[in-house]
mmCIF file of all heavy atoms in Angstrom:
data_model
loop_
_atom_site.group_PDB
_atom_site.id
_atom_site.type_symbol
_atom_site.label_atom_id
_atom_site.label_comp_id
_atom_site.label_asym_id
_atom_site.label_seq_id
_atom_site.Cartn_x
_atom_site.Cartn_y
_atom_site.Cartn_z
ATOM 1 N N GLY A 698 -1.979 6.440 6.097
ATOM 2 C CA GLY A 698 -3.200 6.041 6.797
ATOM 3 C C GLY A 698 -3.041 4.945 7.877
ATOM 4 O O GLY A 698 -1.925 4.722 8.438
ATOM 5 N N GLN A 699 -4.118 4.411 8.401
ATOM 6 C CA GLN A 699 -4.151 3.462 9.513
ATOM 7 C C GLN A 699 -4.796 2.196 9.045
ATOM 8 O O GLN A 699 -5.772 2.112 8.311
ATOM 9 C CB GLN A 699 -5.004 4.167 10.568
ATOM 10 C CG GLN A 699 -5.270 3.305 11.805
ATOM 11 C CD GLN A 699 -6.076 4.014 12.809
ATOM 12 O OE1 GLN A 699 -5.641 5.092 13.349
ATOM 13 N NE2 GLN A 699 -7.208 3.475 13.285
ATOM 14 N N VAL A 700 -4.206 1.062 9.525
ATOM 15 C CA VAL A 700 -4.748 -0.322 9.411
ATOM 16 C C VAL A 700 -5.261 -0.837 10.626
ATOM 17 O O VAL A 700 -4.538 -0.750 11.661
ATOM 18 C CB VAL A 700 -3.773 -1.212 8.681
ATOM 19 C CG1 VAL A 700 -4.459 -2.595 8.576
ATOM 20 C CG2 VAL A 700 -3.268 -0.690 7.378
ATOM 21 N N SER A 701 -6.422 -1.330 10.693
ATOM 22 C CA SER A 701 -7.116 -1.836 11.840
ATOM 23 C C SER A 701 -7.758 -3.264 11.656
ATOM 24 O O SER A 701 -8.012 -3.544 10.471
ATOM 25 C CB SER A 701 -8.135 -0.948 12.544
ATOM 26 O OG SER A 701 -7.589 0.332 12.695
ATOM 27 N N VAL A 702 -8.085 -4.087 12.618
ATOM 28 C CA VAL A 702 -8.755 -5.270 12.494
ATOM 29 C C VAL A 702 -10.012 -5.217 13.410
ATOM 30 O O VAL A 702 -9.986 -4.885 14.546
ATOM 31 C CB VAL A 702 -7.790 -6.497 12.810
ATOM 32 C CG1 VAL A 702 -8.725 -7.806 12.866
ATOM 33 C CG2 VAL A 702 -6.534 -6.599 11.941
ATOM 34 N N ASN A 703 -11.211 -5.428 12.720
ATOM 35 C CA ASN A 703 -12.389 -5.274 13.456
ATOM 36 C C ASN A 703 -13.081 -6.775 13.515
ATOM 37 O O ASN A 703 -13.093 -7.463 12.537
ATOM 38 C CB ASN A 703 -13.403 -4.452 12.757
ATOM 39 C CG ASN A 703 -14.733 -4.288 13.352
ATOM 40 O OD1 ASN A 703 -14.871 -3.588 14.402
ATOM 41 N ND2 ASN A 703 -15.768 -5.036 12.843
ATOM 42 N N VAL A 704 -13.557 -7.067 14.679
ATOM 43 C CA VAL A 704 -14.109 -8.406 14.915
ATOM 44 C C VAL A 704 -15.527 -8.006 15.496
ATOM 45 O O VAL A 704 -15.595 -7.421 16.522
ATOM 46 C CB VAL A 704 -13.344 -9.285 15.940
ATOM 47 C CG1 VAL A 704 -14.123 -10.508 16.190
ATOM 48 C CG2 VAL A 704 -11.935 -9.512 15.469
ATOM 49 N N SER A 705 -16.594 -8.570 14.809
ATOM 50 C CA SER A 705 -17.984 -8.376 15.217
ATOM 51 C C SER A 705 -18.574 -9.749 15.588
ATOM 52 O O SER A 705 -18.524 -10.587 14.955
ATOM 53 C CB SER A 705 -18.797 -7.761 14.063
ATOM 54 O OG SER A 705 -18.225 -6.461 13.758
ATOM 55 N N LYS A 706 -19.302 -9.792 16.774
ATOM 56 C CA LYS A 706 -19.928 -10.945 17.143
ATOM 57 C C LYS A 706 -21.153 -11.129 16.304
ATOM 58 O O LYS A 706 -21.569 -10.320 15.578
ATOM 59 C CB LYS A 706 -20.446 -10.728 18.616
ATOM 60 C CG LYS A 706 -19.349 -10.524 19.601
ATOM 61 C CD LYS A 706 -18.491 -11.844 19.695
ATOM 62 C CE LYS A 706 -17.420 -11.737 20.729
ATOM 63 N NZ LYS A 706 -16.606 -13.031 20.866
ATOM 64 N N PRO A 707 -21.793 -12.335 16.346
ATOM 65 C CA PRO A 707 -22.889 -12.762 15.498
ATOM 66 C C PRO A 707 -24.006 -11.708 15.571
ATOM 67 O O PRO A 707 -24.376 -11.517 16.669
ATOM 68 C CB PRO A 707 -23.178 -14.150 15.985
ATOM 69 C CG PRO A 707 -22.016 -14.703 16.530
ATOM 70 C CD PRO A 707 -21.275 -13.552 17.097
ATOM 71 N N GLY A 708 -24.494 -11.265 14.558
ATOM 72 C CA GLY A 708 -25.654 -10.416 14.406
ATOM 73 C C GLY A 708 -25.468 -9.052 14.800
ATOM 74 O O GLY A 708 -26.388 -8.123 14.682
ATOM 75 N N ILE A 709 -24.272 -8.602 15.033
ATOM 76 C CA ILE A 709 -23.900 -7.255 15.536
ATOM 77 C C ILE A 709 -23.721 -6.343 14.265
ATOM 78 O O ILE A 709 -22.984 -6.680 13.244
ATOM 79 C CB ILE A 709 -22.564 -7.245 16.319
ATOM 80 C CG1 ILE A 709 -22.944 -8.004 17.624
ATOM 81 C CG2 ILE A 709 -22.063 -5.847 16.557
ATOM 82 C CD1 ILE A 709 -23.881 -7.275 18.569
ATOM 83 N N ALA A 710 -24.195 -5.062 14.465
ATOM 84 C CA ALA A 710 -23.998 -4.072 13.437
ATOM 85 C C ALA A 710 -23.084 -2.997 13.986
ATOM 86 O O ALA A 710 -23.209 -2.529 15.167
ATOM 87 C CB ALA A 710 -25.257 -3.409 13.001
ATOM 88 N N LYS A 711 -22.222 -2.572 13.221
ATOM 89 C CA LYS A 711 -21.201 -1.541 13.734
ATOM 90 C C LYS A 711 -21.280 -0.320 12.673
ATOM 91 O O LYS A 711 -21.547 -0.579 11.506
ATOM 92 C CB LYS A 711 -19.927 -2.020 13.901
ATOM 93 C CG LYS A 711 -19.715 -2.878 15.069
ATOM 94 C CD LYS A 711 -18.145 -3.188 15.302
ATOM 95 C CE LYS A 711 -18.019 -4.073 16.463
ATOM 96 N NZ LYS A 711 -16.469 -4.467 16.713
ATOM 97 N N GLY A 712 -20.862 0.696 13.190
ATOM 98 C CA GLY A 712 -20.647 1.927 12.194
ATOM 99 C C GLY A 712 -21.852 2.912 12.415
ATOM 100 O O GLY A 712 -22.075 3.522 13.423
ATOM 101 N N ASN A 713 -22.790 2.988 11.382
ATOM 102 C CA ASN A 713 -23.736 3.998 11.365
ATOM 103 C C ASN A 713 -23.268 5.400 11.641
ATOM 104 O O ASN A 713 -23.640 6.042 12.486
ATOM 105 C CB ASN A 713 -24.947 3.630 12.357
ATOM 106 C CG ASN A 713 -25.692 2.411 11.874
ATOM 107 O OD1 ASN A 713 -26.214 2.456 10.755
ATOM 108 N ND2 ASN A 713 -25.796 1.354 12.733
ATOM 109 N N HIS A 714 -22.268 5.763 10.869
ATOM 110 C CA HIS A 714 -21.713 7.070 10.987
ATOM 111 C C HIS A 714 -21.119 7.464 9.611
ATOM 112 O O HIS A 714 -21.046 6.551 8.711
ATOM 113 C CB HIS A 714 -20.543 7.186 12.080
ATOM 114 C CG HIS A 714 -19.434 6.187 11.828
ATOM 115 N ND1 HIS A 714 -19.096 5.316 12.865
ATOM 116 C CD2 HIS A 714 -18.605 6.028 10.933
ATOM 117 C CE1 HIS A 714 -17.997 4.656 12.412
ATOM 118 N NE2 HIS A 714 -17.705 5.153 11.185
ATOM 119 N N TRP A 715 -20.757 8.805 9.448
ATOM 120 C CA TRP A 715 -20.241 9.216 8.208
ATOM 121 C C TRP A 715 -19.152 10.098 8.503
ATOM 122 O O TRP A 715 -18.934 10.664 9.507
ATOM 123 C CB TRP A 715 -21.198 9.833 7.335
ATOM 124 C CG TRP A 715 -21.878 11.003 7.790
ATOM 125 C CD1 TRP A 715 -22.989 10.986 8.702
ATOM 126 C CD2 TRP A 715 -21.678 12.365 7.483
ATOM 127 N NE1 TRP A 715 -23.354 12.419 8.939
ATOM 128 C CE2 TRP A 715 -22.587 13.155 8.142
ATOM 129 C CE3 TRP A 715 -20.756 13.000 6.560
ATOM 130 C CZ2 TRP A 715 -22.647 14.546 8.014
ATOM 131 C CZ3 TRP A 715 -20.846 14.383 6.355
ATOM 132 C CH2 TRP A 715 -21.676 15.100 7.140
ATOM 133 N N HIS A 716 -18.315 10.522 7.473
ATOM 134 C CA HIS A 716 -17.154 11.319 7.470
ATOM 135 C C HIS A 716 -17.177 12.434 6.350
ATOM 136 O O HIS A 716 -17.599 12.203 5.353
ATOM 137 C CB HIS A 716 -15.917 10.625 7.313
ATOM 138 C CG HIS A 716 -15.738 9.251 8.020
ATOM 139 N ND1 HIS A 716 -15.639 9.262 9.516
ATOM 140 C CD2 HIS A 716 -15.766 7.971 7.682
ATOM 141 C CE1 HIS A 716 -15.673 7.944 9.921
ATOM 142 N NE2 HIS A 716 -15.711 7.186 8.849
ATOM 143 N N MET A 717 -16.742 13.657 6.759
ATOM 144 C CA MET A 717 -16.678 14.760 5.898
ATOM 145 C C MET A 717 -15.580 14.436 4.818
ATOM 146 O O MET A 717 -15.820 14.650 3.665
ATOM 147 C CB MET A 717 -16.323 16.008 6.615
ATOM 148 C CG MET A 717 -17.414 16.522 7.510
ATOM 149 S SD MET A 717 -18.646 17.382 6.477
ATOM 150 C CE MET A 717 -19.569 18.283 7.710
ATOM 151 N N SER A 718 -14.322 14.060 5.265
ATOM 152 C CA SER A 718 -13.223 13.881 4.366
ATOM 153 C C SER A 718 -12.572 12.476 4.444
ATOM 154 O O SER A 718 -12.080 11.998 3.538
ATOM 155 C CB SER A 718 -12.166 14.965 4.646
ATOM 156 O OG SER A 718 -12.620 16.212 4.461
ATOM 157 N N LYS A 719 -12.737 11.847 5.592
ATOM 158 C CA LYS A 719 -12.014 10.532 5.817
ATOM 159 C C LYS A 719 -12.666 9.488 4.832
ATOM 160 O O LYS A 719 -13.885 9.474 4.623
ATOM 161 C CB LYS A 719 -12.150 10.156 7.264
ATOM 162 C CG LYS A 719 -11.424 8.844 7.494
ATOM 163 C CD LYS A 719 -11.715 8.329 8.947
ATOM 164 C CE LYS A 719 -11.086 9.324 9.952
ATOM 165 N NZ LYS A 719 -11.067 8.798 11.284
ATOM 166 N N TRP A 720 -11.943 8.610 4.349
ATOM 167 C CA TRP A 720 -12.401 7.471 3.637
ATOM 168 C C TRP A 720 -11.754 6.118 4.025
ATOM 169 O O TRP A 720 -10.720 6.243 4.568
ATOM 170 C CB TRP A 720 -12.370 7.804 2.056
ATOM 171 C CG TRP A 720 -11.056 8.159 1.503
ATOM 172 C CD1 TRP A 720 -10.473 9.369 1.561
ATOM 173 C CD2 TRP A 720 -10.149 7.304 0.783
ATOM 174 N NE1 TRP A 720 -9.192 9.415 1.058
ATOM 175 C CE2 TRP A 720 -9.008 8.156 0.553
ATOM 176 C CE3 TRP A 720 -10.054 6.050 0.548
ATOM 177 C CZ2 TRP A 720 -7.948 7.701 -0.232
ATOM 178 C CZ3 TRP A 720 -8.968 5.598 -0.276
ATOM 179 C CH2 TRP A 720 -7.863 6.282 -0.591
ATOM 180 N N GLU A 721 -12.349 5.051 3.740
ATOM 181 C CA GLU A 721 -11.962 3.815 4.215
ATOM 182 C C GLU A 721 -12.096 2.734 3.251
ATOM 183 O O GLU A 721 -12.874 2.913 2.295
ATOM 184 C CB GLU A 721 -12.590 3.420 5.531
ATOM 185 C CG GLU A 721 -12.500 4.437 6.624
ATOM 186 C CD GLU A 721 -13.625 4.323 7.739
ATOM 187 O OE1 GLU A 721 -14.784 4.632 7.457
ATOM 188 O OE2 GLU A 721 -13.254 3.926 8.867
ATOM 189 N N LYS A 722 -11.482 1.566 3.542
ATOM 190 C CA LYS A 722 -11.560 0.417 2.696
ATOM 191 C C LYS A 722 -11.852 -0.708 3.647
ATOM 192 O O LYS A 722 -11.060 -0.992 4.557
ATOM 193 C CB LYS A 722 -10.351 0.119 1.808
ATOM 194 C CG LYS A 722 -10.031 1.078 0.695
ATOM 195 C CD LYS A 722 -8.728 0.720 0.007
ATOM 196 C CE LYS A 722 -8.315 1.790 -1.058
ATOM 197 N NZ LYS A 722 -9.120 1.755 -2.271
ATOM 198 N N PHE A 723 -12.856 -1.522 3.390
ATOM 199 C CA PHE A 723 -13.218 -2.665 4.263
ATOM 200 C C PHE A 723 -12.944 -3.947 3.543
ATOM 201 O O PHE A 723 -13.394 -4.107 2.339
ATOM 202 C CB PHE A 723 -14.711 -2.649 4.701
ATOM 203 C CG PHE A 723 -15.134 -1.667 5.623
ATOM 204 C CD1 PHE A 723 -14.118 -0.692 6.091
ATOM 205 C CD2 PHE A 723 -16.355 -1.487 6.179
ATOM 206 C CE1 PHE A 723 -14.440 0.413 7.090
ATOM 207 C CE2 PHE A 723 -16.677 -0.475 7.103
ATOM 208 C CZ PHE A 723 -15.737 0.348 7.566
ATOM 209 N N LEU A 724 -12.194 -4.950 4.150
ATOM 210 C CA LEU A 724 -11.985 -6.168 3.490
ATOM 211 C C LEU A 724 -12.377 -7.237 4.466
ATOM 212 O O LEU A 724 -11.692 -7.491 5.433
ATOM 213 C CB LEU A 724 -10.549 -6.371 3.112
ATOM 214 C CG LEU A 724 -10.083 -7.705 2.538
ATOM 215 C CD1 LEU A 724 -10.826 -8.026 1.306
ATOM 216 C CD2 LEU A 724 -8.473 -7.734 2.290
ATOM 217 N N VAL A 725 -13.374 -7.926 4.208
ATOM 218 C CA VAL A 725 -13.860 -9.112 5.023
ATOM 219 C C VAL A 725 -12.905 -10.224 4.709
ATOM 220 O O VAL A 725 -12.791 -10.728 3.652
ATOM 221 C CB VAL A 725 -15.383 -9.485 4.682
ATOM 222 C CG1 VAL A 725 -15.753 -10.748 5.566
ATOM 223 C CG2 VAL A 725 -16.255 -8.213 5.308
ATOM 224 N N VAL A 726 -12.378 -10.775 5.750
ATOM 225 C CA VAL A 726 -11.357 -11.894 5.686
ATOM 226 C C VAL A 726 -11.932 -13.147 6.255
ATOM 227 O O VAL A 726 -11.446 -14.321 5.837
ATOM 228 C CB VAL A 726 -10.034 -11.636 6.212
ATOM 229 C CG1 VAL A 726 -9.436 -10.508 5.476
ATOM 230 C CG2 VAL A 726 -10.078 -11.264 7.702
ATOM 231 N N SER A 727 -13.066 -13.133 7.079
ATOM 232 C CA SER A 727 -13.665 -14.259 7.634
ATOM 233 C C SER A 727 -15.093 -13.930 7.976
ATOM 234 O O SER A 727 -15.321 -12.959 8.644
ATOM 235 C CB SER A 727 -12.911 -14.783 8.923
ATOM 236 O OG SER A 727 -13.506 -15.900 9.455
#
């Protein structure tokens, strides 16, 4: 698989999508 780092500004929502087969793990670090 793939590892990425996501940074979201205050109040921002990301995503709002779905996958047929793909699955993910989210770990908030800050």
Side-chain angles (χ1 to χ4, degrees):
Q699 172 178 309
V700 180
S701 306
V702 177
N703 182 74
V704 179
S705 297
K706 296 294 184 180
I709 292 295
K711 291 186 177 182
N713 286 309
H714 60 236
W715 62 281
H716 312 293
M717 289 283 194
S718 295
K719 183 186 295 186
W720 50 284
E721 301 162 294
K722 295 176 183 286
F723 289 2
L724 173 63
V725 172
V726 294
S727 180

